[in-house]
Amino acid sequence: MVWRGVPDAGVPTTDRFEWFSEMLAASLAPMRVSSDSTADFEAEAAVLELGPVQLSRFVYSPLRTQRTEALIRRADPEQYHLGWVRAGRMEVDQGGNSSGPVTGDMVLMDTSRPQRAVASGAGGGSGRTEALVLQVPRAALPLRARRVDRMVAQRIPAGAGMGAILARFLAALHTQGPECRPGDQERLGALALELTASCLAERLGVLADESPEARPLALRERIDAFIDHNLGDPELTPRMVAEHHHLSLRSLYALFEDEEVSVAGRIRLRRLERCRDDLAGAALRAHTVRAIAARWGFTDGSVFSRAFREAYGMSPSEHRRAAEHADTAGPAQRSSLTSGARQGPPGSAVSRPSP
């Protein structure tokens, strides 16, 4: 596990700004970049792959960035970017929020929404900015997006509470991460994800400050997000869900006792939905039915086929053939097939969730 990147010393001075702009687009997301220092621009960029997340380090001369609706439509990695401004300062505007000058602290950004950012040296001068950026897939964060969206362009203190713990962990990743064994990257990435979620939850007051009546709802939302993110893991079971959230199985079942669908039912139905969508799509036509089932955590092909037929009234192969036929028949039939599969046949596990 090593840092990937090129220091500015390896790029001619006249090309550094263009190189860095391209590096930002490739490493983070397409954006407009401008600077008053293009002639003598200084920059470094490096990326550390950590399984579910990615840590990037950037050092650069003052610049301005903008991510527009048009750029979002062109390409969106659907990530949250948590930037820790270790030197210089940064100001971010997004979602109606304005961070103000951020120095030494962190700020959250969302690639799926327009944003503007200005980076400069300390005190707004011409010095360089250094930032560590943790890139987290939106789907991987075990918090509801509508809650996290309240945190964009908000300063997150890096000197107290979970913010300090997260900052120290990111600093250790920066210095020690490249020396770790390749097999450790998934575990380090998972830990970074968990610390980020805890830091944001603390800032939002999801667990600590909400009323007692609201806490079970917040916990159910986190569990639902965790299930969605781990559907491909064959080991995903109610027991795994309970252990991850520090609950007993009895407490987990009690948490969902008023819901129409049990935890096991949620896992099964969502896996079937993902398989249904993959079987109908053209992108995975070369994959076998068994491979698609395994992709979403089904280890036994016959068990999957029975569950699929029970849910949708046809076998996985029949559903795939119907989708292929619909692709050649036109948009109306494709829409009919999709809506019919989504609802499921009357009395099926999809149209009428089982407890």
Side-chain angles (χ1 to χ4, degrees), residues 30 125 153 158 192 227-228 238 276 294 324:
I227 289 173
D228 283 342
R276 175 206 64 203
E324 292 172 350

Side-chain angles (χ1 to χ4, degrees), residues 50 53-55 80-86 104-108 132-136 141 143 151 156-174 188-203:
L50 294 166
V53 302
Q54 178 175 286
L55 182 66
Y80 289 114
H81 291 170
L82 184 68
W84 178 21
V85 186
R86 304 181 75 193
D105 290 325
M106 296 178 285
V107 61
L108 187 71
L132 289 179
V133 181
L134 186 68
Q135 298 158 244
V136 179
L141 196 64
L143 294 168
M151 287 297 302
I156 301 173
M162 286 301 305
I165 294 172
L166 176 58
R168 286 197 291 269
F169 180 73
L170 295 179
L173 283 179
H174 170 229
L188 289 171
L191 183 54
L193 180 62
E194 185 70 22
L195 288 175
T196 299
S198 297
C199 176
L200 295 177
E202 178 187 70
R203 298 297 297 171

